[in-house]
Amino acid sequence: MGHTPYGYSIENGCATIKEDEANKIRKLYENYISGMALSKATAAAGIETYHGTAKRLMENGHYLGDDFYPTIIDQETFDKSAAIRLERAGKLGRLNRKKNVKPAFPLPAFAWQRQSNIMKIRGCRQNTSTASLKVR
């Protein structure tokens, strides 16, 4: 098993709800459904985290309850927040992104690109005539 999700603790081999953290999770869902941006909803709920982590918190199916974890969020609230996330992503034009696309061949550690006498290495320039390294 991986890490214990936010809002739970493991005691004697069983998952139990940490009520203070579970209330923050419930408040996060409530804030988001009421129209707050994800970052602001998270901050207002008292959870200090990044935007991406907040999204993963809201997509965590364990909060619905399963064989091991008790229920923190009901199915209706979870589905409603998921629909709102999808709607907002559509409005921002983020639904056409491809996920888990791997290149057909392995890429080298550095992508080299030759342009006249300068070779670019990820944010650094190396002049091939003097071999001096200059940071952009």
Side-chain angles (χ1 to χ4, degrees):
M1 182 179 290
H3 75 283
T4 305
Y6 185 83
Y8 295 104
S9 65
I10 307 297
E11 296 175 10
N12 299 325
C14 296
T16 58
I17 295 176
K18 289 183 178 178
E19 279 305 321
D20 58 330
E21 291 180 1
N23 288 333
K24 290 179 182 180
I25 292 292
R26 291 181 191 108
K27 187 69 175 169
L28 168 63
Y29 278 88
E30 180 184 319
N31 291 342
Y32 189 74
I33 289 171
S34 71
M36 292 177 102
L38 189 54
S39 297
K40 291 186 179 187
T42 308
I47 302 171
E48 295 180 23
T49 190
Y50 296 105
H51 180 268
T53 305
K55 181 183 176 205
R56 283 191 297 277
L57 280 173
M58 293 193 69
E59 292 176 342
N60 190 340
H62 292 304
Y63 295 133
L64 294 171
D66 56 26
D67 293 339
F68 188 72
Y69 293 102
T71 303
I72 291 179
I73 297 294
D74 60 88
Q75 184 73 47
E76 181 183 348
T77 304
F78 188 85
D79 291 343
K80 191 171 184 178
S81 69
I84 291 170
R85 270 194 319 277
L86 188 62
E87 177 187 348
R88 290 181 186 180
K91 286 181 181 178
L92 294 171
R94 296 180 180 160
L95 294 179
N96 59 351
R97 294 183 180 176
K98 295 181 180 178
K99 292 185 178 181
N100 299 328
V101 176
K102 293 184 180 180
F105 56 91
L107 296 174
F110 295 99
W112 295 87
Q113 188 179 30
R114 183 152 179 90
Q115 182 182 2
S116 64
N117 236 9
I118 298 174
M119 296 186 82
K120 295 180 180 179
I121 312 170
R122 289 190 187 174
C124 295
R125 287 187 180 176
Q126 182 179 3
N127 188 329
T128 55
S129 61
T130 61
S132 62
L133 191 62
K134 298 176 185 175
V135 178
R136 282 194 245 182

